[in-house]
């Protein structure tokens, strides 16, 4: 319903009495007690709090349907359709049990985001009887979530009652989708957009690795149970023996030290030294010497240090002390020209520490909004100036926390597929797990735990391809989705799209500026029109181009130079991809007195 752009007719702040009536209507429709005098109001009641600014937004959808949307602090919380209130995904994230939910697979969400309804074959149920469909009536408000995440990703109306869904024979429409994560209603106000939070998985869906190959013998259920029990007993016995040995070895200590060692933060001295080794490995042959230590450190060493690590928190305390220590180890040579002025005169690239070090690419942490799952969409993830597209993401689970903990990636942090692949390459390279003869990856203890392989004494060596290993790690992570800004231009026939700037004359000999192909660069045309309207102090309208599917933005007056600077600076469109600068208004030369 909100897949395509809509037009806002009015946006009015409601009064206190209207807010109270709306709150009572919501509580009555969803059978919630109205706790006006309660000490701890429910999350649903907090949406209509005394400090919340609730507005009524009248809009017209792309198909000319009038809809009323209610917002709380600029964030849409409910929309009215045929006299019935439907919650948005923002409301369902704060009140997960507001309406019943139907579960589907993660691969179905992109189809729903393109305007499709949820079909009966895509519904994941816990059972096959009539009770598995619940007790719902036709046109009941329901939510849609994913098997990997309980958080709602869509809202719709039931196409049939529960009994009819059971009798459909597994065919037909289950939920008529009205609102989906990532549509125009979700991005109604870019400053308060929020990504899908992680509320835990609904049901564990088997993967391809869970099924044995064709022709293999399947173990009987009883045999499987016996094997699991014996394996668990063996593991318990091994852990008990290890605990006894550690307790005997450390009899003088009251508490074992192993858990404390696992919780120790990374050593700043090792990280700073590793940053120097990484700089020598990557840039050692390109560094022009001699070079001041005050220039060498910020230019080559500091960019390789992970975020949160500072020199004053290490044992070196100062940059000069750090370089003296490195000179004593033979990694470089420094010379003091004057008091307090030192230069790096030579680098020892043949040092054993440099030769045995595996280089890595420094990856800085993202913004705060992206770090927290469900936090506001930051400029790195979703730039309000640009159009957004749905991107598959993977959150670090407990099973993969040890693997990504080596890169300071916390539990629950979301990564895209490219980031996971890069981390896997770095991990395999750092630990030298590539077999030189077969070019396969030798699994260590961390990778064995992820892949479910037995410990090293039972199975000496396990070789797996890097692509298959990465796919296994992705399957062990929690799959989710984010709305991210489109980057780069759309190519048509192998050529980049061109933004055309032209001028034309309208009635009354008035000049106008016409801008076309903005959407090909992922530019949000409505926000771009607002920026032009404020910057150039001119009215803007959208016009259809005859014989073309796209639309043109028309600006009153000749503002080609301003539009050109806006595109190249704010939106960073290459100058070679913009034509029409020759039509810019020439500035009059001032006459000399």
């Amino acid at each position: 319903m909100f897949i395509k752009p809509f037009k806002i007719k009015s946006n009015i702040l409601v009064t206190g009495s209207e807010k109270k009536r709306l709150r009572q209507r919501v509580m009555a429709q969803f059978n919630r007690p109205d706790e006006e005098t309660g000490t701890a109001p429910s999350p649903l009641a907090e949406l209509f709090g005394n400090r919340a600014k609730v507005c009524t937004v009248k809009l017209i959808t792309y198909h000319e349907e009038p809809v009323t949307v209610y917002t709380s602090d600029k964030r849409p919380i409910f929309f009215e359709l045929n006299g019935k209130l439907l919650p948005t995904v923002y409301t369902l994230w704060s009140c997960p049990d507001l309406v019943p939910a139907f579960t589907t697979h993660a691969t179905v969400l992109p189809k729903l985001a393109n305007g499709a309804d949820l079909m009966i074959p895509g519904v994941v149920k816990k059972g096959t009887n009539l009770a598995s469909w619940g007790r719902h009536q036709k046109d009941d408000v329901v939510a849609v979530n994913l098997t990997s995440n309980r958080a709602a990703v869509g809202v719709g109306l039931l196409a049939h009652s529960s009994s009819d869904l059971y009798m459909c024979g597994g065919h037909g429409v289950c939920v008529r989708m009205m609102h989906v994560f990532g549509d125009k209603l979700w991005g109604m106000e870019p400053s308060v957009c929020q990504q899908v939070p992680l509320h835990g998985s609904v049901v564990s869906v088997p993967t391809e690795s869970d099924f044995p190959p064709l022709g293999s013998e399947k173990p009987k259920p009883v045999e499987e149970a016996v094997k699991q029990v014996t394996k668990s007993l063996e593991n318990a016995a091994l852990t008990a023996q290890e605990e006894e040995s550690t307790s005997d070895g450390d009899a003088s200590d009251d508490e074992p030290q192993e858990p404390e060692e696992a919780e120790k933060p990374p050593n700043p001295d090792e990280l700073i030294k590793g940053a120097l080794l990484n700089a020598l490995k990557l840039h050692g042959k390109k560094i022009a010497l001699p070079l001041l230590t005050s220039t060498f450190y910020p230019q080559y060493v500091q960019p390789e240090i992970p975020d949160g690590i500072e020199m004053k928190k290490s044992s070196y305390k100062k940059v000069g002390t750090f370089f003296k220590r490195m000179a004593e180890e033979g990694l470089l040579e420094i010379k003091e020209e004057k008091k307090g002025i030192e230069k790096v005169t030579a680098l020892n690239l043949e040092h054993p520490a440099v030769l045995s070090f595996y280089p890595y690419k420094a990856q800085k942490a993202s913004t705060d909004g992206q770090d927290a799952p469900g936090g506001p969409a930051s400029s790195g993830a979703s730039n309000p100036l640009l159009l957004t597209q749905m991107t598959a993401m993977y959150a670090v689970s407990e099973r993969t926390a040890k693997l990504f903990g080596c890169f300071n990636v916390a539990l629950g942090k979301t990564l895209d597929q490219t980031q996971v692949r890069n981390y896997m390459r770095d991990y395999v390279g750092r630990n030298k797990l590539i077999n030189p003869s077969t070019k396969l990856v030798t699994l260590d203890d961390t990778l064995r735990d992820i892949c479910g392989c037995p410990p090293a004494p039972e199975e000496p060596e396990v070789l797996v391809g890097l692509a298959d290993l990465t796919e296994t790690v992705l399957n062990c992570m929690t799959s989710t989705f984010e709305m991210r800004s489109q980057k780069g231009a759309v190519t048509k026939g192998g050529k980049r799209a061109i933004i055309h700037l032209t001028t034309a004359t309208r009635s009354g000999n008035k000049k106008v500026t016409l801008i076309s192909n903005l959407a090909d660069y992922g530019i949000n045309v409505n926000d771009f029109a607002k920026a032009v309207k404020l910057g150039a102090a001119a009215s803007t309208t959208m016009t259809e181009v005859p014989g073309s599917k796209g639309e043109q933005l028309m600006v009153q007056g000749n503002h080609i130079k301003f539009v050109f600077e806006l595109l190249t600076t704010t939106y960073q469109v290459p100058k070679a991809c913009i034509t029409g600068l020759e039509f810019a208004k020439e500035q009059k030369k001032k006459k000399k007195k």
Side-chain angles (χ1 to χ4, degrees), residues 176-421:
R176 291 183 283 112
M177 302 304 300
M178 298 296 165
H179 164 49
V180 186
F181 163 72
D183 62 5
K184 302 302 179 184
L185 182 61
W186 169 85
M188 185 175 177
E189 180 59 41
S191 60
V192 295
C193 284
Q194 183 180 350
Q195 304 293 351
V196 181
L198 298 177
H199 289 171
S201 60
V202 179
V203 61
S204 58
V205 179
T207 59
E208 295 180 0
S209 59
D210 298 327
F211 296 94
L214 295 176
S216 60
E217 295 181 358
K218 284 188 177 181
K220 296 180 181 179
V222 178
E223 295 175 356
E224 281 187 348
V226 172
K227 287 183 179 180
Q228 290 179 0
V229 172
T230 53
K231 185 178 287 188
S232 60
L233 291 174
E234 290 173 359
N235 293 336
L238 288 173
T239 54
Q241 291 176 1
E242 291 175 359
E243 290 176 357
E244 289 178 0
S245 62
T246 53
S247 61
D248 293 336
D250 301 331
S252 60
D253 298 335
D254 295 333
E255 296 180 359
Q257 297 181 357
E258 286 187 1
E260 295 179 1
E261 291 180 359
E263 295 178 359
K264 281 186 178 180
N267 189 359
D269 294 355
E270 296 179 358
L271 293 176
I272 295 175
K273 182 180 178 181
L276 174 63
L277 294 174
N278 196 52
L280 296 180
K281 197 79 172 183
L282 295 176
H283 315 290
K285 296 181 180 180
K286 303 177 184 178
I287 299 176
L289 299 177
L291 189 64
L292 291 172
T293 56
S294 58
T295 305
F296 185 92
Y297 180 79
Q299 188 171 353
Y300 295 103
V301 181
Q302 196 169 9
E304 310 296 334
I305 299 177
D307 288 342
I309 304 299
E310 299 178 2
M311 181 65 74
K312 60 184 179 181
K313 294 181 181 179
S314 65
S315 62
Y316 307 119
K317 301 300 181 182
K318 295 181 180 180
V319 177
T321 307
F322 167 70
F323 278 108
K324 289 179 180 178
R325 295 266 189 93
M326 295 300 103
E328 292 175 359
E329 294 183 14
L331 290 172
L332 47 83
E333 295 179 6
I334 56 175
K335 181 180 179 181
E336 186 175 6
E337 291 190 348
K338 297 180 182 179
K339 188 176 181 180
I341 299 177
E342 295 177 343
K343 285 186 177 182
V344 179
T345 57
L347 301 175
N348 187 4
L349 302 181
E350 301 298 327
H351 193 278
V354 179
L355 296 176
S356 61
F357 185 81
Y358 183 82
Y360 61 90
K361 293 183 179 179
Q363 297 183 359
K364 296 296 181 181
S366 56
T367 55
D368 297 338
Q370 234 176 334
D371 286 343
S378 63
S379 60
S382 179
N383 188 347
L385 295 175
L386 302 177
L387 297 175
T388 54
Q389 59 184 357
M390 188 170 292
T391 306
M393 303 293 291
Y394 300 88
V396 179
S397 59
E398 294 181 358
R399 192 171 177 180
T400 58
K402 186 177 180 180
L403 171 64
F404 292 100
C406 304
F407 304 98
N408 297 326
V409 180
L411 179 68
K413 174 72 178 296
T414 56
L415 305 169
D416 57 24
Q417 197 168 5
T418 304
Q419 289 175 315
V420 175
R421 287 175 178 170

Side-chain angles (χ1 to χ4, degrees), residues 26 52 77 106 148 337 424 524:
V26 170
I77 54 175
S148 58
E337 291 190 348
M424 290 301 299
N524 193 328

